Structures are given as C-alpha cells and as structure tokens.
Amino acid sequence: MESKIADQFIKIYPAAGDRLIVRSPGRINIIGEHTDYNDGFVLPAAIDKAVYVAVSGRNDEEIHLYAGDYNESHVVNTKAVEISDKHWPNYILGVVDQLQKKGFSIGGFNLLIDGDVPLGAGLSSSAAVECATAFALNELFGLGLSKLQMVQTAQKAEHTFAGVMCGIMDQFASMFGKKDHVIQLDCRSLEYEYVPFELKDCKILLLNTNVKHSLSSSAYNERRQQCEQGVAWIKEHHPEVSSLRDVSIQMLNEYVLPKDALIYKRCKYIVEEIQRLLQGCADLQQNNVEALGKKMFRTHEGLSREYEVSCEELDFLVDAVKENPDVIGARMMGGGFGGCTINIIKEDAIESLVQKLKPLYKQAFNKELDYYIASIENGTSLVTQTVVASNV
C-alpha cells in the first residue's frame, strides 16, 4: 500500500512538493458494543488493515483531495470549508474544520487517500480516515497536538461533518493501538490499559455480510437518545447519575420499566454489557479465552434481541457457528445493521468453516460472503516522509 499510494500521489499531483504518508488502521472490538457513548468500557484493538493518507503543502489556499477508492477529486478553499454532498470528503474536511475552530492556521494542501479497510464492514474506516488526516496535518503544519487531542478532533469531525454522534472508541483504537494487545478503555475518564491478547492456536476471523450499514441513519442516533432518556428518568431520583455507567438493573426496574418497556430493554442491554466487558477482561487476564467467547455469544444475543441493531444476515452467521466446537466466540461487531461478525476460531478450522458457510450464505441471501483474518497491529503512525525539489 505504501508504494501504491506514493505512486498514485505523484500521478495525481505531479508538481507537489515535500510529502508524507500516514497509516491509520481500522479496528475490531472484542466485546463492549455501544457502551462507549454511555461512558462505559470498551475492548478494541487496531488491526492490519488500514487507511493511508499522503499529503503535501501548497503555496495557495486551496485544499485538493483525491480518493483512490472512488477515483474522485474534490477542491475547496481553506476559507470556505463546508460539508460536501459527495460524502467521502467530509471525514477529511471535518478534521480541517475542527482544527480551524481550535485556532490553528491550516494552509492549502494536496491529499490523496486510499487503503485496504473494507468500506461499510464495521471496521471503522471512517475513524481511520479522520485519524490519518489529523495525524498528517499535525505533521505537515507542525501543530503540536497530542495523540489524545487528535482523537478528540477526529471524533468531533464525525459528529459535525458526518452527522454521527459516535463515541470515542473507534478513533481511540485507531490512534492508540498496540501490536498483540487490546485496549481496555474507560470511555468516561479516557484512562486505558493494554491487555495482552494471546490466542495461541486461534485467530480472529471476520465474516463480512456485504450488507452496507449506514451509521448516520436515524437508528444509531435514536439508540443514543433512548439511552439518554433512560438516564434522565433515573436522574430525577438519583441526581448523582450522569450516564448508564452509573445505573443498576434495580434502578432500571424501578424508574424506567414502568415508563417505557422499549427504553428499558435498550438500557438493560447496556448496563449488562458494561459488566460483561469487565468480566471478559478478567477472563483474558486469567488466559481463559473460552469464558470470553461465551460472553461474545451473549453480547450478540443482546445486540440482536434487546438493542436491536443486528440484521438477519448477521444473525445467520452467528447462529451458523454457535454449535461449532472450533469457534470459541462470535458476535456482530460495530454499529450494526450490516458489516462483519467477529469470530475467535481455531486456526486450522478457518478454511473448512469458510468453505462450508459461503454456499449456505449465498443460498440464503444471494450475497457473497467475504472473510478476513485480522491480526492486531500498532495504531496511527508516520510511514514515510519524502523531500522533493519542487513545491507547488
């Protein structure tokens, strides 16, 4: 990818000056789904599939963008950064907008983006784009931002320019990932701990439904609002409660269930998932991957039946492996309504499982089943910096 994007950059911007390339990975999340915007815990990791951004400065005030995936260009002036109807530039321009609002002077630049994170697969390609952009502009313009400041900038960009009120997990995992470790992240305090993730004879297998989810659809933001409503009802009686992180099942039974059974169901899943994650981390510390796997299956059940963010394709893939002794754990991953299932599976069973599932999935949904074997890698980093003679 590094040589590919370097060659592309020269082709698209032949007169560009000094350039740098940044790699920002997609992410998986072992357990703890939809808990991040409820001030809970998450357990993500950066993976070996990434977005690459190449940038160079310009002598004018224009921003020239090119997306390899779409073979599309977009040009704006630094003084007129606004939301684009093309969609893909918004993840980049949202970062520029946030940096400008923080008082940073962002000059003109050329930017080319490409990568091998499957789009719409629930691996947070959007967060990878935002983090790669923030990191690259920080390097290009010498802004002096910390990694956490870049993460917060990227998250805010998604809120404002993509319209998704996401939690901080995706951007944090992309930026702070560490090879062969998962991150136990406290989404309230942003304190984090690296937990070794050693699977021995197992691998992480991602099965892609090829159902494109749209997190900016109303359902994601609606779930967030339902959680906030549950908290508001409890807060009337317990002023110290600020999020579902502070809530017990007893509180839900007492103050939410009598008012709204659906909101109760949503909140109950979150409260239980926060506890499930902490227990899952204890399983990892004790090297008990089997116990963690059982919790992953239970998480899927909650996401499908209680939080209702699954879809029939995701349910089909989890149900298909539930009784397979070679599969330690499986669940849908990401915001929902499509994307991937994450499976912890014995390495020598991957090929036979995939060959069995592909025709069954095709028959059931008339869709292809793609798969990826993911390894856990480091987070966002500068890959190369090239000094060239011209500077246009």
Side-chain angles (χ1 to χ4, degrees):
M1 279 304 308
E2 292 164 33
S3 57
K4 178 188 172 187
I5 198 168
D7 292 344
Q8 273 186 311
F9 192 84
I10 293 167
K11 183 179 174 184
I12 301 298
Y13 305 116
D18 298 354
R19 64 181 177 272
L20 54 89
I21 298 175
V22 169
R23 171 193 174 276
S24 194
R27 67 97 187 96
I28 54 172
N29 187 32
I30 305 300
I31 198 167
E33 209 67 78
H34 288 273
T35 51
D36 57 347
Y37 55 82
N38 287 292
D39 280 354
F41 294 86
V42 287
L43 198 65
I47 59 171
D48 57 338
K49 307 205 175 300
V51 163
Y52 289 79
V53 158
V55 295
S56 69
R58 297 178 59 87
N59 288 332
D60 55 26
E61 294 185 337
E62 289 188 349
I63 297 171
H64 288 234
L65 308 178
Y66 178 84
D69 273 330
Y70 300 102
N71 192 26
E72 271 187 3
S73 298
H74 188 73
V75 178
V76 298
N77 192 283
T78 58
K79 305 289 191 235
V81 174
E82 55 189 27
I83 295 172
S84 161
D85 57 8
K86 287 179 189 163
H87 192 62
W88 66 264
N90 292 331
Y91 300 104
I92 301 164
L93 297 176
V95 172
V96 175
D97 175 65
Q98 284 304 308
L99 292 172
Q100 289 178 332
K101 283 176 176 166
K102 292 176 191 294
F104 291 108
S105 177
I106 305 297
F109 61 90
N110 302 308
L111 184 149
L112 185 146
I113 188 162
D114 208 336
D116 56 9
V117 183
L119 301 177
L123 302 178
S124 288
S125 55
S126 60
V129 172
E130 292 150 0
C131 287
T133 302
F135 197 99
L137 296 181
N138 186 56
E139 290 285 330
L140 185 66
F141 296 112
L143 306 181
L145 294 170
S146 68
K147 280 189 173 184
L148 182 56
Q149 288 172 315
M150 287 187 266
V151 164
Q152 291 166 327
T153 299
Q155 181 196 20
K156 194 74 173 169
E158 183 128 357
H159 289 180
T160 55
F161 268 52
V164 181
M165 296 304 292
C166 61
I168 204 164
M169 173 183 72
D170 296 346
Q171 292 83 0
F172 198 98
S174 187
M175 186 71 69
F176 282 91
K178 182 178 179 182
K179 186 175 175 62
D180 297 330
H181 289 73
V182 289
I183 308 167
Q184 182 185 324
L185 171 63
D186 181 335
C187 296
R188 169 176 283 170
S189 67
L190 299 185
E191 292 177 357
Y192 64 98
E193 177 185 345
Y194 290 113
V195 181
F197 195 70
E198 298 167 11
L199 293 177
K200 295 179 183 171
D201 59 345
C202 292
K203 290 282 187 184
I204 294 167
L205 173 68
L206 305 173
L207 297 173
N208 189 356
T209 62
N210 280 310
V211 175
K212 301 298 185 200
H213 64 177
S214 175
L215 282 185
S216 56
S217 67
S218 61
Y220 181 92
N221 291 337
E222 180 185 61
R223 294 301 181 281
R224 184 166 184 157
Q225 289 160 6
Q226 288 167 333
C227 292
E228 289 169 354
Q229 180 60 72
V231 170
W233 285 333
I234 293 170
K235 197 176 178 68
E236 291 172 6
H237 305 274
H238 292 274
E240 74 280 6
V241 165
S242 62
S243 70
L244 287 178
R245 165 78 169 271
D246 307 316
V247 168
S248 66
I249 297 295
Q250 184 180 340
M251 289 176 184
L252 292 177
N253 290 339
E254 199 169 341
Y255 305 117
V256 179
L257 184 56
K259 286 183 178 287
D260 192 302
L262 180 62
I263 289 179
Y264 170 81
K265 188 164 66 167
R266 302 286 194 254
C267 294
K268 180 172 176 286
Y269 160 74
I270 295 293
V271 171
E272 291 179 344
E273 179 76 347
I274 290 170
Q275 290 308 308
R276 204 160 27 239
L277 181 139
L278 294 174
Q279 292 160 4
C281 285
D283 294 337
L284 277 179
Q285 298 284 12
Q286 294 157 18
N287 206 21
N288 190 347
V289 179
E290 289 74 18
L292 175 67
K294 288 176 183 172
K295 291 178 177 65
M296 290 171 67
F297 281 120
R298 176 63 190 97
T299 288
H300 182 79
E301 192 179 313
L303 287 164
S304 178
R305 297 180 188 175
E306 297 157 19
Y307 217 60
E308 295 182 283
V309 291
S310 188
C311 60
E312 57 180 335
E313 292 89 348
L314 288 165
D315 290 344
F316 177 91
L317 291 176
V318 174
D319 288 341
V321 302
K322 199 174 280 183
E323 304 303 325
N324 188 322
D326 293 319
V327 179
I328 312 301
R331 67 176 189 84
M332 62 150 278
M333 185 182 69
F337 311 106
C340 288
T341 64
I342 178 172
N343 304 261
I344 298 179
I345 179 174
K346 290 179 180 171
E347 186 173 5
D348 57 11
I350 292 175
E351 189 174 344
S352 61
L353 177 70
V354 169
Q355 294 313 312
K356 177 187 171 187
L357 284 180
K358 269 179 170 283
L360 293 174
Y361 188 75
K362 178 79 170 177
Q363 183 181 3
F365 302 106
N366 197 28
K367 289 186 178 75
E368 297 301 325
L369 179 66
D370 293 328
Y371 72 99
Y372 322 102
I373 299 167
S375 62
I376 296 178
E377 298 294 338
N378 290 322
T380 309
S381 62
L382 181 65
V383 177
T384 57
Q385 188 158 6
T386 308
V387 179
V388 291
S390 61
N391 188 21
V392 176

